[in-house]
Amino acid sequence: MNLESHKALLHIIMDKVENTRNAGQKEYAQDIENVFGNFERIANLLEISREKVLMTYLLKHVDGIASYVKGHESQRENIRGRLTDAIVYLTLLWGMVEERDENNMENK
């Protein structure tokens, strides 16, 4: 793949990531004001951090991606879906990091 083809693919990927994130916001977060709502609810139930909940979800997809790389292609969710979900989870984790940093700056 050449650089221009990859740039075009990157735009397609990022559109898919945004669409997936937006759909997930409605389905999982259940709160337009809190993108981390589902992670926080489960974190409270399990008495762990929301980051650990997110990491668990992310690792489910990483495990599926690893299976694909090892040659197992017959999965309920296709590899592009798993890759998209993994990217979405990473952007959400990035948001958690940003929020924590902002809160730490406000508390200084």
Side-chain angles (χ1 to χ4, degrees):
M1 178 177 286
N2 64 36
L3 181 58
E4 288 305 312
S5 295
H6 188 261
K7 284 182 182 181
L9 179 60
L10 186 57
H11 288 289
I12 292 167
I13 291 168
M14 296 316 291
D15 285 344
K16 186 165 182 60
V17 166
E18 185 174 9
N19 290 335
T20 299
R21 198 221 59 84
N22 290 341
Q25 178 67 30
K26 293 175 187 172
E27 183 176 353
Y28 299 115
Q30 302 171 5
D31 180 350
I32 195 145
E33 296 299 320
N34 184 2
V35 297
F36 309 130
N38 62 320
F39 302 108
E40 291 171 355
R41 285 191 304 276
I42 293 182
N44 287 333
L45 286 170
L46 297 176
E47 298 179 349
I48 61 176
S49 72
R50 64 188 187 177
E51 292 87 354
K52 286 182 180 178
V53 173
L54 184 147
M55 192 66 189
T56 301
Y57 291 177
L58 172 61
L59 288 173
K60 173 187 174 280
H61 292 291
V62 169
D63 187 52
I65 294 165
S67 291
Y68 175 85
V69 169
K70 291 177 185 176
H72 184 74
E73 294 186 33
S74 175
Q75 299 181 7
R76 287 179 302 180
E77 183 177 4
N78 84 28
I79 188 62
R80 287 175 186 83
R82 290 189 184 273
L83 292 166
T84 301
D85 286 346
I87 295 167
V88 169
Y89 284 126
L90 290 170
T91 67
L92 288 165
L93 182 57
W94 190 310
M96 290 178 184
V97 170
E98 291 291 320
E99 188 174 83
R100 180 172 283 172
D101 286 351
E102 289 170 11
N103 290 338
N104 287 339
M105 292 301 290
E106 289 173 6
N107 294 327
K108 286 188 176 186

